[in-house]
Amino acid sequence: MSQEIEIGLGKKARLAYSLDDVAIVPSRRTRDPQDVSTAWQIDAYEFDIPVIAAPMDSVTSPETAIEMGRLGGLGVLDLEGLWTRYEDPKPLLDEIATLPERQATRRMQEIYAEPIKPELITQRLHEIRKAGVTVAGALSPQRTQELYSTVIEAGVDLFVIRGTAVSAEHVSTDHEPLNLKKFIYDLDVPVIVGGATNYTAALHLMRTGAAGVLVGFGGGAVSGTLNTIGLQAPMATAIADIAEARRDYMDESGGRYVQLIADGGMGSSGNFIKAFALGADAVMLGSPLARATGAPGHGMHWGSEARHQTLPRGKRTNVGTVAPLKEILYGPSHQADGTTNFIGALRRAMASTGYVDVKNFQRCSVVVTSSGR
């Protein structure tokens, strides 16, 4: 039963919770951490860990996508980022990392005004393909119709459509909107689509035939969406709501299971783990991986919202560097702040609650630890 509170006589609101507001409760059974499985599968693609590197220029380059694949996860390249606008974007990444704060947004708008080049999309995806890892690329809903054929011809294993709020029923008066259901049906590759933040939106996205649904807006550490347009999605409630939509869709579709991928607000290993406890199958990480010593952002982190030409809804943020990518994922950790050894922490939490795999871990008990936001 949902809780409603009265804001005033003319408006009621539902009480929702962030990941910081909940905690996992140990059960009567425990296990050894080495006896649990963190494996994850979407469609025909299997991974050792349920971690996706976010399609953000500060996180994923062709090089880091390859490294993620070799470490057992999945890296998704932003096909609207610098790697598809410039033959050699490294000097620009270096520049963005060193810009004074007051100049960063304006200069990033100038840098990202360079047109996307289809031949660079092909080149970057081929680089990842040659390394022998799973190839994934992301486009915004606005660019999908324009560029998807280039992406498919270049060869991707997984196609991601990622935006602030992606719906199956976009309405436009000046252009023909993307028909997600037809688009997904016509493709030969699995599609992950989002963000979705509530039961109804997610259920409609599942009905399009998507293999996975992104839960949340992404870019929690760098997003200014709440300040600029007033939107927010408390992730604990969003994940739990959409897990319920997934259960109802399974009944409706005769057993078709759609993967839920939590996207945003996972800056620490504790929140990363709680996303699984609430119903996520995998997590898309941004700021934790932007902290890697080899990350393309050099300790700075930004998303597509920060480069918007007319209404930036995010900013470049200094997240610092903590360790190589392998240590962020697998450890060893040398500080107790939840910034390294995410998979070791997940194994420990699963062992402490007695579950052997991620799907069963979704059944663990949780409690609310504060009044919520």
Side-chain angles (χ1 to χ4, degrees), residues 24-150:
I24 297 164
V25 181
S27 69
R28 64 180 178 85
R29 180 183 290 113
T30 56
R31 300 180 184 275
D32 291 332
Q34 65 267 24
D35 292 337
V36 306
S37 170
T38 60
W40 175 59
Q41 180 172 345
I42 181 166
D43 203 84
Y45 300 97
E46 299 179 6
F47 304 93
D48 295 335
I49 56 175
V51 177
I52 302 174
M56 305 167 83
D57 277 343
S58 53
V59 176
T60 306
S61 63
E63 183 180 354
T64 54
I66 291 167
E67 187 179 3
M68 272 297 296
R70 289 173 175 166
L71 289 170
L74 174 67
V76 183
L77 189 67
D78 180 4
L79 301 179
E80 300 174 41
L82 296 180
W83 292 93
T84 62
R85 297 174 190 262
Y86 296 92
E87 186 68 40
D88 180 12
K90 290 184 179 180
L92 293 167
L93 289 164
D94 294 344
E95 180 187 351
I96 290 172
T98 57
L99 286 169
E101 185 175 348
R102 293 183 64 180
Q103 299 174 20
T105 297
R106 182 181 293 275
R107 177 60 181 142
M108 288 170 66
Q109 288 174 318
E110 293 171 354
I111 291 170
Y112 281 95
E114 179 72 15
I116 296 167
K117 299 173 179 61
E119 65 273 17
L120 286 179
I121 292 178
T122 301
Q123 181 180 323
R124 303 312 183 194
L125 294 175
H126 283 179
E127 287 176 38
I128 301 171
R129 171 74 64 195
K130 287 177 184 176
V133 301
T134 303
V135 182
L139 291 172
S140 65
Q142 295 84 358
R143 291 280 196 169
T144 294
Q145 291 211 107
E146 174 190 348
L147 295 170
Y148 84 90
S149 59
T150 300

Side-chain angles (χ1 to χ4, degrees), residues 281-303:
D281 299 289
V283 166
M284 181 171 277
L285 291 181
S287 58
L289 305 187
R291 298 187 190 114
T293 51
H298 306 294
M300 291 293 183
H301 183 40
W302 65 92

Side-chain angles (χ1 to χ4, degrees), residues 64-323:
T64 54
I66 291 167
E67 187 179 3
M68 272 297 296
R70 289 173 175 166
L71 289 170
L74 174 67
V76 183
L77 189 67
D78 180 4
L79 301 179
E80 300 174 41
L82 296 180
W83 292 93
T84 62
R85 297 174 190 262
Y86 296 92
E87 186 68 40
D88 180 12
K90 290 184 179 180
L92 293 167
L93 289 164
D94 294 344
E95 180 187 351
I96 290 172
T98 57
L99 286 169
E101 185 175 348
R102 293 183 64 180
Q103 299 174 20
T105 297
R106 182 181 293 275
R107 177 60 181 142
M108 288 170 66
Q109 288 174 318
E110 293 171 354
I111 291 170
Y112 281 95
E114 179 72 15
I116 296 167
K117 299 173 179 61
E119 65 273 17
L120 286 179
I121 292 178
T122 301
Q123 181 180 323
R124 303 312 183 194
L125 294 175
H126 283 179
E127 287 176 38
I128 301 171
R129 171 74 64 195
K130 287 177 184 176
V133 301
T134 303
V135 182
L139 291 172
S140 65
Q142 295 84 358
R143 291 280 196 169
T144 294
Q145 291 211 107
E146 174 190 348
L147 295 170
Y148 84 90
S149 59
T150 300
V151 176
I152 298 304
E153 288 168 11
V156 287
D157 299 313
L158 292 162
F159 184 68
V160 179
I161 302 174
R162 185 177 187 251
T164 300
V166 179
S167 76
E169 299 180 9
H170 183 71
V171 178
S172 176
T173 58
D174 65 0
H175 69 275
E176 183 67 27
L178 176 68
N179 184 327
L180 264 179
K181 188 169 187 176
K182 183 178 186 305
F183 175 80
I184 291 172
Y185 180 82
D186 289 342
L187 285 185
D188 289 331
V189 299
V191 176
I192 298 170
V193 61
T197 57
N198 61 67
Y199 174 100
T200 303
L203 185 60
H204 280 272
L205 289 178
M206 292 173 193
R207 287 170 176 163
T208 66
V213 170
L214 294 169
V215 182
F217 296 155
V222 295
S223 175
T225 304
L226 178 62
N227 289 337
T228 54
I229 59 175
L231 298 184
Q232 188 177 28
M235 283 295 287
T237 296
I239 296 168
D241 281 352
I242 294 175
E244 182 66 16
R246 193 242 315 274
R247 280 188 285 270
D248 289 347
Y249 178 69
M250 285 182 69
D251 291 340
E252 174 188 305
S253 64
R256 184 173 182 270
Y257 189 91
V258 178
Q259 303 288 320
L260 299 191
I261 300 153
D263 183 13
M266 254 63 66
S268 68
S269 58
N271 281 352
F272 164 77
I273 294 163
K274 286 184 275 186
F276 296 105
L278 291 159
D281 299 289
V283 166
M284 181 171 277
L285 291 181
S287 58
L289 305 187
R291 298 187 190 114
T293 51
H298 306 294
M300 291 293 183
H301 183 40
W302 65 92
S304 59
E305 303 88 354
R307 67 193 193 218
H308 196 280
Q309 295 298 310
T310 59
L311 183 63
R313 301 183 305 281
K315 61 180 181 179
R316 187 206 60 175
T317 300
N318 187 352
V319 296
T321 56
V322 296

